């Protein structure tokens, strides 16, 4: 796995470097004073800037990453040439251990049919006395006591809209101390003083994705403020201690190969890909103060999101998620799986982008936030794979009738009307296995 | 049926008493070739008539109304989509006059506190008639920004901001001497048609004068609530079925329209910053049609709730209810309440940073053209439900409090969310039957409604 991650990183870095040479733009440069002043005055409205980004391309897109994952093979494992019941028909060919439905039911026990949920039991037809009022009361109590562990347990049943921002901050251990605000201001100064090539990639990504989204376009400015600072935050390097990835290195001009002159590039070690800004966009709904928004995002990234684009064997890593998704589908909807495979529409090809983005931009915001409640609550991303499978199960009837990949994509193009919690509940607890 | 009045026709087919005849086929007419025509054409049993044919239902434009309403005879069952003198509510200068008068009346009858509930309209002066009053107010508040709006135009045309009297001196010199174009003059003339309560100019005088375009100068709200640094306003739909008694419905859906550029008071010349009309935004160099700059009201309500908590949001929305009701009450006695008329208004509301809602204006012909598939869906459902309430098919009992996405907001008195009559004590602290920005499960509701109506009919026949 590490070898695969290493060679993937080499590829990305090569791509970045070649873009750099092609466009003759340095990876980093110090801004002239005039430019610094200008940027500082425009800090709150960077979205109005329209730099020429036509020559920039995102370094990679999720589908490129998928190709890499598909080609992962364990050299110690002999699959054998004969087909059997056990043969995995999906794209991922790495034999990682993934949970099956009974194990998932155990893990996600609070999502069961007999437990109250926000996203189900707060529907208009359900009188609030049955669950919602009590749940809100408990939430307020948890916040009053500032109990982080209790908060984590609490959000497994969903978080009330008014309490969510504080609850998440409590779970992620974010409190706006003066030193945090100072740190953010320091990052901001770094942005003003130096211009990185990566900045243009960030601009391009925001313009391509979040700005075009019907709901997140409003937060465009916040996204720049967060992501530009993020790319300069060296404290993010800390997460590479438990990440199979390693930060890309670059060398001071003229000193190629000499280790003393190696620096991490970008400073936080994370090269953004197409759609990266969508990790931040939903958070803008909850946090409006830039330094707090920044901290929440950074913490979410180093706890969860990084796993979605690095190759590892971790159960919440993207490889495991893909395998979990495919296994669930093959085991419980074999007809559908086989049919889609036959028409050249491997299910993972469609669901991969959902999982890499943690469904941001695909689900309606309120549903997405309910999903992320549970991710925080269970400290695991496995629900992303379960939800992906549940979506396929939900639209199975239509999918059985399609005859091409394009048609399958069309059936699954619009997820904005889906209700996340009922789907998860039905798939995990109400389907006959 | 409708026919020109000068023909000697005896009315027939008119039903006596309260029983409305059920129509098997409804002949409709309209000149609007957008969402509306789709909805009308798809309605079962509705047949389009063109040109001179006779109609049972006409969704007309206000130009036609002005020229023909007075000469058209309509049978009892016939419906038309405007009130004859809707401009009492929708023309900015008339609305201000009516509201001011209503406020005085309220103060006399119910005291200062009650009258203060009418303070949702920024201070407005009609120009040129109230110029001196305006200057007095202007001098009392140096440094604030004012917005100048032409009385009869829409879609953001002719609007500008100013801070110094000098700016409008220049403007006065510019337009006061100018002859409006013949089209503008015609419109101005038609719109300033004396309704007996305002100008006492006779029609002869009018022909002599060059009509000067009327403007209002309004205090500009300098601290609008911003989302993502952007200014926005809310478009809300209110359906009025009659003024006497006042029956008004509020649609649950609507949208927030964002300005494309970031809000700052530094650039008052930048129309694009301050005006949020989609029509103006569309011409901004920043405008990308794919972006769309609208949020559905549900999204807006959720955003506010997560930021300020549900109580603050409840207060805001009930203050908006107050705006709708008071504005309608202020013109209740002035509007000619013809039983053939109904009207779908588009209210434009601005929220300031203290979460106080302000009324910007009321539109008698809110745009029914869709700017995106989502917008199309909203407008199509809005129109469908409007037609359900107009009820040409005579299916409703008249006791309904909800039809599709519409909630009955006022029925000659407040309507309570609970069953039974509301507690009409002075505190009036009951849950009103409005659900603006809430979940709109209209399909399910309509299914249930019509099924129960059908079974009721079967039972009674």
């Amino acid at each position: 796995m590490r070898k695969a991650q290493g060679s993937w990183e080499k590829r990305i870095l090569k791509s970045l470097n070649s873009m750099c040479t092609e466009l003759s733009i340095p990876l980093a440069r110090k801004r002239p004073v005039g430019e610094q002043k200008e940027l500082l005055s425009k800090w709150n409205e960077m979205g109005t800037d329209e730099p020429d980004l036509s020559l920039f391309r995102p370094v990679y897109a999720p589908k490129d990453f998928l190709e890499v994952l598909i080609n992962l093979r364990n050299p110690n494992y002999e699959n054998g040439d004969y087909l059997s019941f056990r043969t995995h028909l999906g794209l991922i060919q790495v034999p990682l251990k993934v949970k099956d439905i009974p194990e998932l039911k155990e893990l996600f026990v609070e999502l069961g049919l007999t437990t109250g949920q926000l996203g189900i039991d707060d529907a208009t037809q359900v009188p609030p006395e049955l669950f919602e009022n009590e749940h809100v009361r408990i939430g307020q109590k948890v916040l009053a006591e500032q109990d982080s562990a209790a908060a984590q347990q609490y959000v497994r049943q969903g978080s009330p809209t008014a309490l969510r921002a504080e609850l998440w901050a409590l779970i992620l251990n974010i409190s706006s101390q003066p030193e945090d605000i100072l740190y953010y201001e320091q990052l901001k100064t770094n942005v003003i003083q130096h211009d990185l090539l990566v900045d243009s990639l960030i601009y391009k990504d925001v313009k391509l994705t979040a700005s075009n989204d019907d709901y997140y376009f409003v937060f465009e400015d916040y996204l720049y403020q967060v992501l530009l600072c993020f790319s300069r935050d060296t404290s993010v390097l800390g997460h590479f201690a438990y990440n199979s990835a390693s930060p890309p290195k670059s060398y001071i001009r003229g000193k190629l190969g000499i280790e003393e002159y190696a620096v991490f590039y970008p400073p936080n070690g994370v090269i953004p890909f197409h759609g990266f800004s969508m990790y931040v966009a939903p958070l803008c709904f909850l946090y409006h103060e830039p330094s707090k928004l920044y901290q929440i995002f950074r913490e979410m990234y180093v706890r969860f999101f990084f796993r979605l684009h690095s190759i590892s064997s971790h159960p919440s890593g993207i490889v495991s998620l893909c395998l979990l998704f495919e296994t669930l589908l093959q085991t419980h909807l074999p007809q559908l799986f086989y049919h889609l495979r036959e028409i050249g529409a491997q299910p993972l090809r469609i669901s991969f982008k959902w999982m890499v983005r943690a469904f941001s931009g695909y689900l309606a915001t309120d549903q997405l936030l309910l999903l992320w409640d549970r991710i925080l609550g269970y400290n695991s991303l496995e629900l992303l794979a379960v939800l992906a499978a549940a979506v396929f199960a939900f639209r199975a009837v239509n999918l059985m009738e399609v005859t091409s990949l394009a048609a399958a994509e069309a059936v699954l193009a619009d997820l904005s009307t889906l209700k996340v919690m009922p789907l998860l509940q039905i798939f995990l607890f109400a389907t006959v296995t | 049926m409708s026919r020109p009045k000068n023909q000697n026709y005896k009315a027939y087919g008119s039903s006596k008493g309260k029983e409305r005849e059920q129509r098997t086929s409804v002949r409709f007419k309209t000149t609007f070739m957008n969402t509306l025509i789709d909805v009308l054409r798809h309605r079962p049993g509705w047949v389009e008539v063109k040109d001179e044919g006779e109609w049972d239902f006409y969704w007309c434009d206000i130009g036609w109304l002005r020229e023909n309403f007075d000469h058209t005879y309509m049978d009892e069952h016939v419906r038309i989509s405007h009130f004859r003198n809707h401009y009492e509510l929708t023309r900015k200068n008339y609305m201000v006059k009516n509201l001011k008068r209503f406020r005085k009346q309220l103060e006399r009858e119910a005291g200062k506190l009650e009258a203060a509930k009418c303070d949702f309209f920024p201070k407005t002066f009609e120009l040129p008639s109230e110029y001196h009053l305006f200057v007095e107010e202007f001098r009392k508040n140096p440094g604030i920004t004012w917005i100048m709006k032409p009385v009869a135009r829409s879609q953001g045309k002719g609007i500008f901001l100013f801070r110094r009297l000098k700016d409008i001196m220049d403007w006065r010199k510019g337009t006061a001497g100018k002859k409006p174009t013949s089209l503008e003059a015609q419109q101005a003339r038609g719109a300033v048609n004396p309704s007996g309560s305002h100008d006492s100019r006779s029609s002869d005088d009018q022909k002599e004068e060059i009509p000067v375009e009327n403007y209002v100068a309004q205090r500009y709200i300098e601290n609008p609530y911003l989302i993502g640094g952007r200014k926005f306003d809310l478009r809300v739909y209110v359906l009025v079925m009659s003024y006497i008694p006042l029956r008004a419905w509020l649609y649950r859906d609507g949208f927030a329209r964002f300005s494309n550029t970031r809000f700052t008071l530094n650039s008052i010349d930048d129309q694009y910053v301050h005006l949020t009309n989609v029509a103006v935004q569309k011409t901004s160099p920043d405008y990308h049609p794919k972006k769309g700059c609208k949020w559905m009201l549900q999204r807006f309500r959720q955003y506010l709730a997560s930021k300020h908590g549900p109580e603050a949001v409840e207060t805001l929305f009930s203050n908006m209810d107050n705006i709708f009701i008071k504005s309608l009450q202020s013109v209740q006695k002035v509007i000619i309440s013809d039983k053939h008329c109904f009207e779908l208004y588009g209210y434009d509301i601005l929220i300031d940073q203290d979460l106080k809602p302000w009324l910007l204006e009321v539109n008698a012909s809110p745009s029914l053209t869709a700017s995106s598939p989502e917008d199309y869906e909203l407008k199509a459902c809005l129109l469908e439900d409007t037609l359900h309430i107009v009820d040409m098919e005579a299916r409703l009992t008249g006791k309904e409090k909800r039809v599709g996405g519409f909630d009955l907001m006022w029925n000659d008195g407040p309507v309570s969310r609970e069953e039974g009559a509301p507690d009409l004590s002075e505190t009036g602290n009951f849950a009103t039957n409005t659900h603006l920005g809430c979940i709109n499960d209209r399909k399910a509701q309509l299914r249930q409604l019509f099924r129960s109506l059908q079974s009721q009919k079967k039972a009674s026949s």
Side-chain angles (χ1 to χ4, degrees), chain B residues 26-43:
Chain B
V26 177
R27 293 163 301 181
F28 74 84
K29 183 172 170 178
T30 184
T31 45
F32 291 98
M33 291 294 130
N34 46 27
T35 322
L36 179 62
I37 193 80
D38 289 346
V39 172
L40 290 169
R41 281 184 184 152
H42 280 103
R43 206 164 169 84

PDB file of all heavy atoms in Angstrom, chain B residues 26-43:
ATOM      1  N   VAL B  26     -63.375  24.880 -18.831  1.00  0.00           N
ATOM      2  CA  VAL B  26     -63.102  26.274 -18.518  1.00  0.00           C
ATOM      3  C   VAL B  26     -62.327  26.882 -19.667  1.00  0.00           C
ATOM      4  O   VAL B  26     -61.301  26.350 -20.076  1.00  0.00           O
ATOM      5  CB  VAL B  26     -62.261  26.374 -17.227  1.00  0.00           C
ATOM      6  CG1 VAL B  26     -61.895  27.809 -16.928  1.00  0.00           C
ATOM      7  CG2 VAL B  26     -63.023  25.749 -16.069  1.00  0.00           C
ATOM      8  N   ARG B  27     -62.815  27.993 -20.163  1.00  0.00           N
ATOM      9  CA  ARG B  27     -62.116  28.635 -21.282  1.00  0.00           C
ATOM     10  C   ARG B  27     -61.196  29.701 -20.703  1.00  0.00           C
ATOM     11  O   ARG B  27     -61.652  30.606 -20.009  1.00  0.00           O
ATOM     12  CB  ARG B  27     -63.126  29.276 -22.228  1.00  0.00           C
ATOM     13  CG  ARG B  27     -63.991  28.237 -22.932  1.00  0.00           C
ATOM     14  CD  ARG B  27     -65.227  28.859 -23.520  1.00  0.00           C
ATOM     15  NE  ARG B  27     -66.037  29.499 -22.485  1.00  0.00           N
ATOM     16  CZ  ARG B  27     -67.182  30.101 -22.722  1.00  0.00           C
ATOM     17  NH1 ARG B  27     -67.654  30.162 -23.964  1.00  0.00           N
ATOM     18  NH2 ARG B  27     -67.857  30.676 -21.749  1.00  0.00           N
ATOM     19  N   PHE B  28     -59.913  29.571 -20.972  1.00  0.00           N
ATOM     20  CA  PHE B  28     -58.988  30.526 -20.402  1.00  0.00           C
ATOM     21  C   PHE B  28     -58.283  31.301 -21.485  1.00  0.00           C
ATOM     22  O   PHE B  28     -58.161  30.866 -22.626  1.00  0.00           O
ATOM     23  CB  PHE B  28     -57.975  29.822 -19.490  1.00  0.00           C
ATOM     24  CG  PHE B  28     -56.923  29.032 -20.233  1.00  0.00           C
ATOM     25  CD1 PHE B  28     -55.780  29.646 -20.719  1.00  0.00           C
ATOM     26  CD2 PHE B  28     -57.081  27.672 -20.425  1.00  0.00           C
ATOM     27  CE1 PHE B  28     -54.808  28.920 -21.379  1.00  0.00           C
ATOM     28  CE2 PHE B  28     -56.123  26.940 -21.082  1.00  0.00           C
ATOM     29  CZ  PHE B  28     -54.978  27.554 -21.567  1.00  0.00           C
ATOM     30  N   LYS B  29     -57.821  32.468 -21.050  1.00  0.00           N
ATOM     31  CA  LYS B  29     -57.067  33.315 -21.971  1.00  0.00           C
ATOM     32  C   LYS B  29     -55.899  33.908 -21.220  1.00  0.00           C
ATOM     33  O   LYS B  29     -55.998  34.242 -20.033  1.00  0.00           O
ATOM     34  CB  LYS B  29     -58.002  34.428 -22.465  1.00  0.00           C
ATOM     35  CG  LYS B  29     -57.381  35.332 -23.479  1.00  0.00           C
ATOM     36  CD  LYS B  29     -58.412  36.281 -24.061  1.00  0.00           C
ATOM     37  CE  LYS B  29     -57.703  37.338 -24.894  1.00  0.00           C
ATOM     38  NZ  LYS B  29     -58.606  38.252 -25.523  1.00  0.00           N
ATOM     39  N   THR B  30     -54.778  34.045 -21.898  1.00  0.00           N
ATOM     40  CA  THR B  30     -53.660  34.755 -21.293  1.00  0.00           C
ATOM     41  C   THR B  30     -52.692  35.179 -22.375  1.00  0.00           C
ATOM     42  O   THR B  30     -52.653  34.590 -23.446  1.00  0.00           O
ATOM     43  CB  THR B  30     -52.918  33.902 -20.254  1.00  0.00           C
ATOM     44  OG1 THR B  30     -51.907  34.701 -19.650  1.00  0.00           O
ATOM     45  CG2 THR B  30     -52.248  32.702 -20.899  1.00  0.00           C
ATOM     46  N   THR B  31     -51.924  36.221 -22.071  1.00  0.00           N
ATOM     47  CA  THR B  31     -50.925  36.650 -23.033  1.00  0.00           C
ATOM     48  C   THR B  31     -49.530  36.252 -22.583  1.00  0.00           C
ATOM     49  O   THR B  31     -48.556  36.505 -23.262  1.00  0.00           O
ATOM     50  CB  THR B  31     -50.954  38.182 -23.189  1.00  0.00           C
ATOM     51  OG1 THR B  31     -51.040  38.742 -21.879  1.00  0.00           O
ATOM     52  CG2 THR B  31     -52.146  38.620 -24.006  1.00  0.00           C
ATOM     53  N   PHE B  32     -49.409  35.613 -21.433  1.00  0.00           N
ATOM     54  CA  PHE B  32     -48.090  35.294 -20.901  1.00  0.00           C
ATOM     55  C   PHE B  32     -47.614  33.950 -21.418  1.00  0.00           C
ATOM     56  O   PHE B  32     -48.236  32.921 -21.193  1.00  0.00           O
ATOM     57  CB  PHE B  32     -48.130  35.261 -19.369  1.00  0.00           C
ATOM     58  CG  PHE B  32     -48.343  36.615 -18.772  1.00  0.00           C
ATOM     59  CD1 PHE B  32     -49.596  37.017 -18.385  1.00  0.00           C
ATOM     60  CD2 PHE B  32     -47.278  37.482 -18.648  1.00  0.00           C
ATOM     61  CE1 PHE B  32     -49.801  38.274 -17.849  1.00  0.00           C
ATOM     62  CE2 PHE B  32     -47.460  38.742 -18.104  1.00  0.00           C
ATOM     63  CZ  PHE B  32     -48.725  39.141 -17.710  1.00  0.00           C
ATOM     64  N   MET B  33     -46.491  33.991 -22.117  1.00  0.00           N
ATOM     65  CA  MET B  33     -45.994  32.758 -22.724  1.00  0.00           C
ATOM     66  C   MET B  33     -44.859  32.181 -21.901  1.00  0.00           C
ATOM     67  O   MET B  33     -43.751  32.035 -22.375  1.00  0.00           O
ATOM     68  CB  MET B  33     -45.489  33.057 -24.143  1.00  0.00           C
ATOM     69  CG  MET B  33     -46.603  33.401 -25.079  1.00  0.00           C
ATOM     70  SD  MET B  33     -47.656  31.957 -25.326  1.00  0.00           S
ATOM     71  CE  MET B  33     -49.272  32.638 -25.014  1.00  0.00           C
ATOM     72  N   ASN B  34     -45.102  31.901 -20.629  1.00  0.00           N
ATOM     73  CA  ASN B  34     -44.026  31.340 -19.821  1.00  0.00           C
ATOM     74  C   ASN B  34     -44.607  30.202 -18.985  1.00  0.00           C
ATOM     75  O   ASN B  34     -45.464  29.475 -19.464  1.00  0.00           O
ATOM     76  CB  ASN B  34     -43.390  32.441 -18.959  1.00  0.00           C
ATOM     77  CG  ASN B  34     -44.443  33.291 -18.278  1.00  0.00           C
ATOM     78  OD1 ASN B  34     -45.559  32.814 -18.024  1.00  0.00           O
ATOM     79  ND2 ASN B  34     -44.127  34.534 -17.998  1.00  0.00           N
ATOM     80  N   THR B  35     -44.137  30.087 -17.777  1.00  0.00           N
ATOM     81  CA  THR B  35     -44.625  29.019 -16.908  1.00  0.00           C
ATOM     82  C   THR B  35     -46.148  28.974 -16.874  1.00  0.00           C
ATOM     83  O   THR B  35     -46.763  27.916 -16.836  1.00  0.00           O
ATOM     84  CB  THR B  35     -44.125  29.256 -15.472  1.00  0.00           C
ATOM     85  OG1 THR B  35     -42.811  29.769 -15.518  1.00  0.00           O
ATOM     86  CG2 THR B  35     -44.140  27.969 -14.686  1.00  0.00           C
ATOM     87  N   LEU B  36     -46.746  30.153 -16.906  1.00  0.00           N
ATOM     88  CA  LEU B  36     -48.198  30.227 -16.763  1.00  0.00           C
ATOM     89  C   LEU B  36     -48.930  29.471 -17.859  1.00  0.00           C
ATOM     90  O   LEU B  36     -49.860  28.711 -17.593  1.00  0.00           O
ATOM     91  CB  LEU B  36     -48.621  31.707 -16.768  1.00  0.00           C
ATOM     92  CG  LEU B  36     -50.123  31.947 -16.651  1.00  0.00           C
ATOM     93  CD1 LEU B  36     -50.635  31.398 -15.331  1.00  0.00           C
ATOM     94  CD2 LEU B  36     -50.426  33.429 -16.763  1.00  0.00           C
ATOM     95  N   ILE B  37     -48.497  29.663 -19.088  1.00  0.00           N
ATOM     96  CA  ILE B  37     -49.227  29.030 -20.182  1.00  0.00           C
ATOM     97  C   ILE B  37     -49.107  27.507 -20.069  1.00  0.00           C
ATOM     98  O   ILE B  37     -50.053  26.770 -20.338  1.00  0.00           O
ATOM     99  CB  ILE B  37     -48.742  29.556 -21.559  1.00  0.00           C
ATOM    100  CG1 ILE B  37     -49.704  29.130 -22.663  1.00  0.00           C
ATOM    101  CG2 ILE B  37     -47.358  29.088 -21.903  1.00  0.00           C
ATOM    102  CD1 ILE B  37     -50.924  29.966 -22.763  1.00  0.00           C
ATOM    103  N   ASP B  38     -47.948  27.040 -19.611  1.00  0.00           N
ATOM    104  CA  ASP B  38     -47.780  25.595 -19.421  1.00  0.00           C
ATOM    105  C   ASP B  38     -48.779  25.071 -18.402  1.00  0.00           C
ATOM    106  O   ASP B  38     -49.446  24.061 -18.613  1.00  0.00           O
ATOM    107  CB  ASP B  38     -46.369  25.279 -18.913  1.00  0.00           C
ATOM    108  CG  ASP B  38     -45.306  25.495 -19.973  1.00  0.00           C
ATOM    109  OD1 ASP B  38     -45.683  25.619 -21.156  1.00  0.00           O
ATOM    110  OD2 ASP B  38     -44.118  25.527 -19.620  1.00  0.00           O
ATOM    111  N   VAL B  39     -48.866  25.774 -17.272  1.00  0.00           N
ATOM    112  CA  VAL B  39     -49.749  25.321 -16.202  1.00  0.00           C
ATOM    113  C   VAL B  39     -51.192  25.330 -16.665  1.00  0.00           C
ATOM    114  O   VAL B  39     -51.960  24.394 -16.431  1.00  0.00           O
ATOM    115  CB  VAL B  39     -49.578  26.212 -14.951  1.00  0.00           C
ATOM    116  CG1 VAL B  39     -50.616  25.888 -13.912  1.00  0.00           C
ATOM    117  CG2 VAL B  39     -48.191  26.051 -14.368  1.00  0.00           C
ATOM    118  N   LEU B  40     -51.579  26.398 -17.357  1.00  0.00           N
ATOM    119  CA  LEU B  40     -52.969  26.495 -17.820  1.00  0.00           C
ATOM    120  C   LEU B  40     -53.294  25.396 -18.818  1.00  0.00           C
ATOM    121  O   LEU B  40     -54.361  24.779 -18.769  1.00  0.00           O
ATOM    122  CB  LEU B  40     -53.218  27.870 -18.450  1.00  0.00           C
ATOM    123  CG  LEU B  40     -53.232  29.049 -17.465  1.00  0.00           C
ATOM    124  CD1 LEU B  40     -53.202  30.380 -18.210  1.00  0.00           C
ATOM    125  CD2 LEU B  40     -54.466  28.988 -16.578  1.00  0.00           C
ATOM    126  N   ARG B  41     -52.373  25.169 -19.726  1.00  0.00           N
ATOM    127  CA  ARG B  41     -52.650  24.172 -20.770  1.00  0.00           C
ATOM    128  C   ARG B  41     -52.760  22.777 -20.198  1.00  0.00           C
ATOM    129  O   ARG B  41     -53.479  21.942 -20.722  1.00  0.00           O
ATOM    130  CB  ARG B  41     -51.556  24.206 -21.840  1.00  0.00           C
ATOM    131  CG  ARG B  41     -51.741  25.337 -22.805  1.00  0.00           C
ATOM    132  CD  ARG B  41     -50.708  25.312 -23.912  1.00  0.00           C
ATOM    133  NE  ARG B  41     -50.868  26.495 -24.765  1.00  0.00           N
ATOM    134  CZ  ARG B  41     -49.891  27.061 -25.443  1.00  0.00           C
ATOM    135  NH1 ARG B  41     -48.673  26.576 -25.374  1.00  0.00           N
ATOM    136  NH2 ARG B  41     -50.127  28.123 -26.190  1.00  0.00           N
ATOM    137  N   HIS B  42     -52.011  22.531 -19.092  1.00  0.00           N
ATOM    138  CA  HIS B  42     -52.017  21.189 -18.537  1.00  0.00           C
ATOM    139  C   HIS B  42     -53.166  20.927 -17.589  1.00  0.00           C
ATOM    140  O   HIS B  42     -53.335  19.817 -17.104  1.00  0.00           O
ATOM    141  CB  HIS B  42     -50.701  20.922 -17.797  1.00  0.00           C
ATOM    142  CG  HIS B  42     -49.584  20.574 -18.735  1.00  0.00           C
ATOM    143  ND1 HIS B  42     -48.603  21.453 -19.091  1.00  0.00           N
ATOM    144  CD2 HIS B  42     -49.338  19.457 -19.436  1.00  0.00           C
ATOM    145  CE1 HIS B  42     -47.792  20.894 -19.958  1.00  0.00           C
ATOM    146  NE2 HIS B  42     -48.209  19.677 -20.185  1.00  0.00           N
ATOM    147  N   ARG B  43     -53.922  21.956 -17.311  1.00  0.00           N
ATOM    148  CA  ARG B  43     -54.994  21.750 -16.342  1.00  0.00           C
ATOM    149  C   ARG B  43     -56.138  21.001 -17.011  1.00  0.00           C
ATOM    150  O   ARG B  43     -56.641  21.418 -18.049  1.00  0.00           O
ATOM    151  CB  ARG B  43     -55.479  23.103 -15.827  1.00  0.00           C
ATOM    152  CG  ARG B  43     -56.065  22.993 -14.460  1.00  0.00           C
ATOM    153  CD  ARG B  43     -56.161  24.359 -13.822  1.00  0.00           C
ATOM    154  NE  ARG B  43     -56.959  24.291 -12.618  1.00  0.00           N
ATOM    155  CZ  ARG B  43     -56.500  23.931 -11.424  1.00  0.00           C
ATOM    156  NH1 ARG B  43     -55.237  23.648 -11.293  1.00  0.00           N
ATOM    157  NH2 ARG B  43     -57.288  23.865 -10.375  1.00  0.00           N
TER     158      ARG B  43
END
